[in-house]
Amino acid sequence: MIRHAGLIARRVEGLWRGVLIEGPSGAGKSDLALRALNHGFRLVADDRVQVWVDAGRLYGRAPDVLRGLLEVRGVGVAPVAAVAFCEITVLVRLGTPERMPDPATKAVLGVDVPLLSVDPFEASAPAKLSRAMESFDAAHKRRI
């Protein structure tokens, strides 16, 4: 399945774990991904993400024609070192977040993924993605 989204990843305990960034065209998906690259993330896919499930886990990668490319609005399409694929562990919807939201999940291909709302243009947005990954990963470990 192809989703209109971006996907960035960080290495967590030796594995690439990713944040799937969704929002309408022009909402700031690529801008947030570009800024996250300066905060320890790596690009997996920009604009389109091929997602699939294996052993109850959700994964994503770039379609072949888009692999290693990132649209930089006002500059053009830039080549970027990219990760081939990753497990998707957080789903981000772009928008105005609530101050203290209740925990939420969204089912993607039957897999519940922690859901976070983020304003992509806040200076702290990449740091919020890192914190969310850390807290969701810690919560997952406590359940096991």
Side-chain angles (χ1 to χ4, degrees), residues 60-72:
R61 70 174 191 87
D64 291 339
V65 298
L66 298 176
R67 182 172 293 133
L69 300 175
L70 177 67
E71 179 186 350
V72 181

Side-chain angles (χ1 to χ4, degrees), residues 49-104:
V49 180
Q50 183 176 356
V51 297
W52 72 95
V53 175
D54 185 37
R57 294 175 184 234
L58 187 66
Y59 293 90
R61 70 174 191 87
D64 291 339
V65 298
L66 298 176
R67 182 172 293 133
L69 300 175
L70 177 67
E71 179 186 350
V72 181
R73 191 173 293 270
V75 175
V77 176
V80 176
V83 172
F85 72 96
C86 70
E87 180 181 359
I88 298 169
T89 59
V90 178
L91 172 60
V92 166
R93 291 263 172 83
L94 300 184
T96 304
E98 294 179 33
R99 184 169 180 207
M100 299 292 286
D102 290 326

